[in-house]
Amino acid sequence: MAMRIDAANLHYRELNERIHEVVSARETELLLDSVLGHRYIGAGLKGGLRIEINGVPGNDLAAFMDGAEIIVNSNAQDGVANTMNDGSIVIHGDAGDILGHSMRGGTIYVAGLVGYRCGIHCKAYESKLPVIVVGTTAGDYLGEYMAGGAIVVLNRDDEPGSPVGRFCGTGMHGGVIFVRGEVDDYQLGAEVAVAEVGEADWGILEAIVADYCTNFDLGPGRLSPDEFLKLYPRSSRPYGKLYAY
Amino acid sequence: MPEWLTQPDFLVERDPERCIQCEVCVRQCANEVHEFDAELREVFSDSAACVGCHRCASLCPTDAISIREVELEFRTNANWSPQVIRNIYRQAEQGGVLLTGMGNPEGLPIYWDRMLLNASQVTNPSIDPLREPMELFTQLGKKPARLEFAEDGALQTQIGPQLELKVPVMFSAMSYGSISYNASEALARAAHEVGTYANTGEGGLHEHIKPYADNMIVQVASGRFGVDVDYLNAAAAIEIKIGQGAKPGIGGHLPGEKVSADISATRMIPEGTDAISPAPHHDIYSIEDLRQLIYAIKEATRYTKPVGVKIAAVHHIAAIASGAVRAGADFVAIDGYRGGTGAAPTMIRNNVGIPIEFALAAVDARLREEGIRHDASLIVAGSFRCAADVVKAIALGADACYIGTAALVAMGCHLCQKCYTGKCNWGIATQDPYLTRRLNTNIATRRLTNLLQSWGHEIQEIMGGMGINAIESLRGNRDHLRGVNLSDRELQVLGIQMAGE
């Protein structure tokens, strides 16, 4: 039986302290009710706890998180998974700006759309490979400065036009972005190259999408590689020739 | 560069009478200035490659080498200095942004030298620090507005986490990557031995430096390299780096060739990739956003550690610092325009920012006016060269100083300003194992410890002369400063009186 905390009338600091008490008691399941913009839920949490959130969590959900699992049954606000090291987050609604900023590992699955600067400066290290899957569309600056990991934009609603904004992948020097739908050249940063999804890429992408579908109880998809574009960095050293010595 | 434009900065002269062809200079110079001609059995030097670091001259067993600056390569011109002309040649050749290292060397005014300190004469007694207690102990962190006591006199007010310094001088942020591992370790160990703090910069916390983590401040900068919750919790304090005096407003690139296996592990990035720190933090576009990150870090460390903000001294610094304090910073570090760097664009380093003296005076005054000075400690950086600079800064309102260049000089740096090339012959600003092993960590630690101890003694001497026995009484005590060679306006901004007044 999951522990339950009613967040109504609790300041975020009290709520987060209560969550730490739950961690100390070695509980593995926690249900938060009446969450209303409480910030920093799950900040710095290690693995072992699964938190389900009813209501809208506030900014910096799962900042610096290191292994815990979070399920949000509605929308999430800005700064989800800021500098997250490990763990998993499933959001059953939309999410705000800077989702996955400087994230080093773990997964974030969003049912709906994300705002600006999603996946900015995502990085990978050794076995850690951050994965972000956006259900519908993403705002401008998707994957800016991206240094590692994978971002997938699924365009589930088949919106007309491009599912990503402008300045996509600006400064990108690692990682990969898969977009289901069109991306015009003017939307891309100068550092980004575009390719079709090859066999090896499809293997990775299919596994990511399958896991995403499992988390949202969606049936097996009928996607094919030719619906996607692969965006990748032209160079791992985009600014190597900037200086005079 | 074409021959006809090659203008050496230095002239390497070898006294043939003294030179014994031992080739020490050949082995010591990573810039390959010296070469042994096996046929002629003689060492020759190519002045064009010399950076003026004096490694060869210092180690030459017979003092055969002397290095002179080349001054007369160009016709004398007060406007077009040799440096300006050489820079244009370099850019015309390579088409890139000029890079440089260390702090601003331009001849702009150094205001510490225009402020003089007071001493006791007749009307109040001076104190001899050799025979009487002289307190340098300094705490950095948010102080309560008032204290409350129980009836039995026990303190009831909860005081937040504080850094505790035995000398009001800390080592400023220098990342492992910009400096060698040996230099990083020496800084951490010296901070530990003396009872002060060193700062990781954005280089992560190396596994072997973790034993000294109680004396380390860790940085969270825009690239978030090496940052995870364990890193935050290992440290004594966390510093959010917004800016740096040598390059306000811009980010940084650690080139892939410097990202070795060990650096990759410390920064938690793949080996050989560029470590790009964006110009802004992309989660901080406002004071409110800064507050959000400060509290995210406080939440992740459960309010057990001071969280500060480092900013470069720029226009409107007082308002910016006030914002940082209101955002919840427990300390604000301000880095003046003479602050050092491992690599910065020359134009930025030499032309952006304001002197730390004015920034400090303005910030301290502003925080006092607003009644929030106790909410955060002020750390100042940006070229503290000696104990007197530190004393003047504290009298002007600082709680503590950061030193970077002075610490490097203590370890042997000769200020050649070529840190960015990675060819530091002194083993400090390099990752080349052949060069880094030149810096012995035990010796470097001792030299740093000696430096801080000698500055500590000098600070005590100066305080004793003023008749002050605790650094708290000197802090923000501008009555002990007088100006010389300053305009009325300068005196006004510094908030001090003219000498003789």
Side-chain angles (χ1 to χ4, degrees):
Chain A
M1 171 83 184
M3 287 283 296
R4 232 182 155 111
I5 298 175
D6 185 355
N9 302 317
L10 286 184
H11 185 267
Y12 71 73
R13 206 171 154 176
E14 293 169 281
L15 173 63
N16 293 331
E17 208 38 56
R18 295 273 295 275
I19 297 173
H20 282 296
E21 285 165 18
V22 169
V23 172
S24 303
R26 296 180 185 279
E27 294 287 344
T28 55
E29 302 268 327
L30 172 65
L31 192 63
L32 301 181
D33 289 319
S34 311
V35 171
L36 191 65
H38 294 77
R39 289 183 173 191
Y40 318 117
I41 294 175
L45 281 196
K46 299 270 181 185
L49 183 67
R50 180 179 183 274
I51 305 176
E52 190 172 333
I53 299 174
N54 289 319
V56 178
N59 290 356
D60 273 350
L61 172 75
F64 306 107
M65 195 167 83
D66 196 17
E69 206 181 317
I70 291 182
I71 291 132
V72 179
N73 287 327
S74 67
N75 297 333
Q77 295 190 336
D78 296 339
V80 173
N82 191 346
T83 323
M84 179 164 107
N85 197 49
D86 202 0
S88 81
I89 300 172
V90 176
I91 296 166
H92 286 268
D94 298 334
D97 296 342
I98 40 168
L99 176 128
H101 174 285
S102 285
M103 173 185 176
R104 191 181 300 113
T107 56
I108 311 175
Y109 296 151
V110 184
L113 57 82
V114 296
Y116 293 130
R117 289 174 270 147
C118 167
I120 194 164
H121 217 313
C122 253
K123 33 179 84 73
Y125 174 62
E126 288 188 338
S127 62
K128 291 203 181 328
L129 187 88
V131 174
I132 299 174
V133 183
V134 177
T136 57
T137 62
D140 294 348
Y141 303 100
L142 176 73
E144 191 184 14
Y145 278 112
M146 195 166 169
I151 301 176
V152 182
V153 179
L154 285 177
N155 194 13
R156 281 169 67 183
D157 296 342
D158 296 315
E159 298 260 354
S162 176
V164 301
R166 294 178 305 158
F167 310 107
C168 182
T170 307
M172 189 174 183
H173 54 288
V176 62
I177 303 174
F178 296 108
V179 179
R180 184 171 164 267
E182 311 155 21
V183 184
D184 260 324
D185 280 348
Y186 81 89
Q187 292 174 276
L188 295 173
E191 297 79 10
V192 186
V194 186
E196 289 179 354
V197 173
E199 208 169 303
D201 297 323
W202 182 239
I204 296 166
L205 184 52
E206 234 184 349
I208 293 172
V209 174
D211 193 46
Y212 176 92
C213 291
T214 310
N215 273 279
F216 288 107
D217 289 328
L218 298 168
R222 290 180 307 278
L223 301 173
S224 72
D226 55 15
E227 293 174 72
F228 285 90
L229 286 176
K230 175 189 175 185
L231 312 181
Y232 66 99
R234 290 180 191 277
S235 157
S236 64
R237 306 274 321 269
Y239 307 114
K241 291 195 179 121
L242 190 62
Y243 302 106
Y245 285 87
Chain B
M1 191 170 283
E3 273 307 289
W4 55 276
L5 285 176
T6 304
Q7 300 288 346
D9 290 335
F10 299 94
L11 190 62
V12 181
E13 288 178 317
R14 178 182 305 278
D15 183 343
E17 301 280 303
R18 287 172 178 269
C19 180
I20 53 170
Q21 317 297 335
C22 69
E23 296 181 65
V24 162
C25 52
V26 177
R27 289 189 294 275
Q28 289 297 325
C29 183
N31 300 300
E32 297 172 349
V33 168
H34 310 286
E35 196 187 344
F36 183 70
D37 188 315
E39 229 166 85
L40 296 172
R41 305 202 54 75
E42 206 179 321
V43 178
F44 290 92
S45 303
D46 171 19
S47 291
C50 179
V51 300
C53 81
H54 292 86
R55 177 81 186 180
C56 59
S58 304
L59 269 74
C60 176
T62 58
D63 290 331
I65 301 171
S66 54
I67 295 159
R68 287 191 294 116
E69 253 186 298
V70 180
E71 281 163 358
L72 296 174
E73 285 293 319
F74 299 98
R75 187 187 168 115
T76 308
N77 188 320
N79 188 31
W80 293 90
S81 68
Q83 194 57 53
V84 167
I85 298 169
R86 286 190 186 112
N87 283 347
I88 290 179
Y89 288 156
R90 271 163 78 192
Q91 291 190 295
E93 184 67 22
Q94 301 180 41
V97 171
L98 294 165
L99 262 191
T100 187
M102 309 305 294
N104 191 340
E106 300 293 314
L108 293 153
I110 297 165
Y111 285 90
W112 300 126
D113 296 341
R114 299 180 182 204
M115 284 183 267
L116 297 172
L117 291 160
N118 194 25
S120 301
Q121 296 293 295
V122 184
T123 55
N124 58 332
S126 47
I127 304 168
D128 182 352
L130 297 177
R131 290 182 296 105
E132 295 187 57
M134 187 63 63
E135 193 60 85
L136 296 185
F137 182 70
T138 298
Q139 287 185 311
L140 302 180
K142 182 184 169 80
K143 309 292 187 297
R146 66 183 67 79
L147 294 176
E148 278 164 20
F149 298 90
E151 273 184 19
D152 64 353
L155 181 65
Q156 281 191 318
T157 311
Q158 290 272 338
I159 297 174
Q162 307 282 324
L163 291 179
E164 298 188 338
L165 289 68
K166 292 200 178 128
V167 266
V169 181
M170 304 190 286
F171 299 128
S172 63
M174 286 175 274
S175 68
Y176 171 41
S178 73
I179 57 171
S180 64
Y181 171 75
N182 289 7
S184 307
E185 186 190 303
L187 289 163
R189 280 171 54 190
H192 181 74
E193 278 179 32
V194 172
T196 184
Y197 297 86
N199 188 314
T200 60
E202 199 181 14
L205 186 62
H206 194 279
E207 202 54 41
H208 295 165
I209 289 178
K210 282 184 182 160
Y212 312 103
D214 285 347
N215 292 90
M216 296 299 294
I217 298 172
V218 297
Q219 253 190 4
V220 173
S222 63
R224 304 285 157 88
F225 298 119
V227 179
D228 64 13
V229 68
D230 297 331
Y231 168 86
L232 301 175
N233 276 310
I238 297 108
E239 181 178 83
I240 298 171
K241 180 200 178 182
I242 300 292
Q244 180 178 345
K247 41 180 171 178
I250 68 166
H253 305 158
L254 183 71
E257 55 261 28
K258 288 193 189 175
V259 182
S260 63
D262 201 40
I263 288 179
S264 112
T266 311
R267 297 196 176 210
M268 300 185 218
I269 51 169
E271 206 174 323
T273 61
D274 274 8
I276 298 178
S277 297
H281 288 249
H282 282 289
D283 50 354
I284 305 178
Y285 288 4
S286 67
I287 289 289
E288 291 76 10
D289 289 349
L290 174 64
R291 182 180 180 82
Q292 191 176 308
L293 184 61
I294 290 173
Y295 278 86
I297 293 170
K298 288 188 177 187
E299 281 286 337
T301 55
R302 302 184 68 183
Y303 300 87
T304 56
K305 294 160 197 300
V307 178
V309 176
K310 179 177 180 179
I311 46 180
V314 292
H315 311 173
H316 308 296
I317 186 68
I320 298 162
S322 166
V325 175
R326 287 167 192 284
D330 297 306
F331 60 86
V332 177
I334 309 168
D335 195 9
Y337 82 129
R338 281 194 307 271
T341 177
T346 310
M347 291 303 119
I348 305 262
R349 182 196 66 177
N350 291 0
N351 296 286
V352 180
I354 64 168
I356 188 60
E357 299 91 330
F358 288 111
L360 168 59
V363 169
D364 179 65
R366 177 69 168 266
L367 298 183
R368 283 168 190 274
E369 275 163 31
E370 295 182 0
I372 56 172
R373 179 65 183 82
H374 64 281
D375 280 336
S377 296
L378 281 184
I379 304 167
V380 284
S383 205
F384 287 88
R385 306 157 298 168
C386 59
D389 288 353
V390 175
V391 174
K392 290 170 187 175
I394 289 172
L396 206 52
D399 288 283
C401 299
Y402 265 144
I403 56 166
T405 304
L408 299 182
V409 172
M411 288 193 277
C413 166
H414 277 54
L415 284 162
C416 75
Q417 305 183 37
K418 295 285 178 185
C419 324
Y420 61 95
T421 63
K423 291 183 185 171
C424 176
N425 284 322
W426 296 92
I428 300 169
T430 177
Q431 305 305 325
D432 179 345
Y434 181 72
L435 301 173
T436 56
R437 67 173 184 233
R438 293 177 184 181
L439 189 71
N440 177 301
T441 50
N442 291 334
I443 295 171
T445 303
R446 193 179 70 231
R447 294 180 64 86
L448 290 164
T449 309
N450 285 344
L451 179 76
L452 290 186
Q453 276 166 355
S454 47
W455 284 23
H457 286 310
E458 288 175 333
I459 295 169
Q460 287 177 328
E461 288 280 353
I462 297 171
M463 281 166 52
M466 291 170 169
I468 286 176
N469 65 3
I471 200 139
E472 281 302 321
S473 311
L474 179 66
R475 201 154 272 137
N477 195 341
R478 297 189 194 182
D479 259 354
H480 282 291
L481 291 170
R482 288 292 185 275
V484 288
N485 284 333
L486 291 170
S487 68
D488 279 353
R489 191 89 174 111
E490 287 166 324
L491 289 165
Q492 192 191 332
V493 177
L494 290 170
I496 62 170
Q497 289 182 292
M498 181 68 194
E501 285 184 319

